[in-house]
Amino acid sequence: MCLYGNDISTAQTPPAAALGWIIGKDRRDPATATFNGAATILPQLASPAKTLSQRRVGFTVEKGSPAREGAIVVDLSDDSHPQIGVITSGLPSPSLGGTNIAMGYIKNGMHKKGTEVGVLVRNKLRKATVTGMPWVESKFYRPKA
């Protein structure tokens, strides 16, 4: 769940926060869309690769101290380790046996599941992997279409 003020705020649009599903399909027609922000949000839904600079993703962080709000996400493939994102919330998961999980925003293009990144936790570089959310699959009934 997103925590308002940490994981989402008025600075992010629903597509950047991985919440595009909250905009109903009947409201996505540019000719009839009248909701606030439609001029910005609809192009982001149509082509996120071209219009979004960052995206909210999940991370699984290696053993040790958990990544917390404000921890810097860096690119491990570049020797200078440039900043590519920031952690917005994190904790040891009670459902996954204490595995460190976190949410944060990462540069568009680095958001693919399985991407290896680094997170600076208490001035130590820890390896992290971009992971799909939710970490634990729900058991909701989903009827076949």
Side-chain angles (χ1 to χ4, degrees):
M1 302 295 279
C2 294
L3 183 61
Y4 188 80
N6 286 30
D7 302 314
I8 57 173
S9 70
T10 56
Q12 292 89 19
T13 59
L19 297 171
W21 58 269
I22 64 172
I23 300 168
K25 300 215 185 277
D26 58 331
R27 299 184 74 182
R28 294 183 183 206
D29 181 11
T32 60
T34 59
F35 62 90
N36 290 339
T40 302
I41 294 169
L42 292 178
Q44 290 177 345
L45 287 170
S47 68
K50 294 180 183 175
T51 56
L52 295 175
S53 61
Q54 61 181 4
R55 297 190 188 193
R56 185 177 63 88
V57 297
F59 298 96
T60 303
V61 185
E62 72 179 4
K63 294 277 185 205
S65 300
R68 301 287 189 180
E69 178 187 3
I72 304 297
V73 181
V74 299
D75 185 357
L76 289 179
S77 64
D78 187 334
D79 291 334
S80 64
H81 299 307
Q83 180 177 346
I84 57 170
V86 66
I87 299 294
T88 56
S89 60
L91 72 158
S93 171
S95 302
L96 299 173
T99 300
N100 292 324
I101 60 173
M103 276 194 287
Y105 286 87
I106 194 168
K107 184 173 117 178
N108 198 6
M110 301 291 288
H111 69 283
K112 305 279 188 211
K113 291 179 195 172
T115 303
E116 298 275 325
V117 296
V119 179
L120 290 171
V121 180
R122 298 183 182 169
N123 294 322
K124 291 183 182 176
L125 187 63
R126 300 221 188 273
K127 289 184 181 176
T129 305
V130 175
T131 308
M133 294 185 289
W135 290 270
V136 178
E137 283 298 317
S138 66
K139 301 209 188 293
F140 292 126
Y141 172 72
R142 294 187 181 145
K144 304 276 185 204

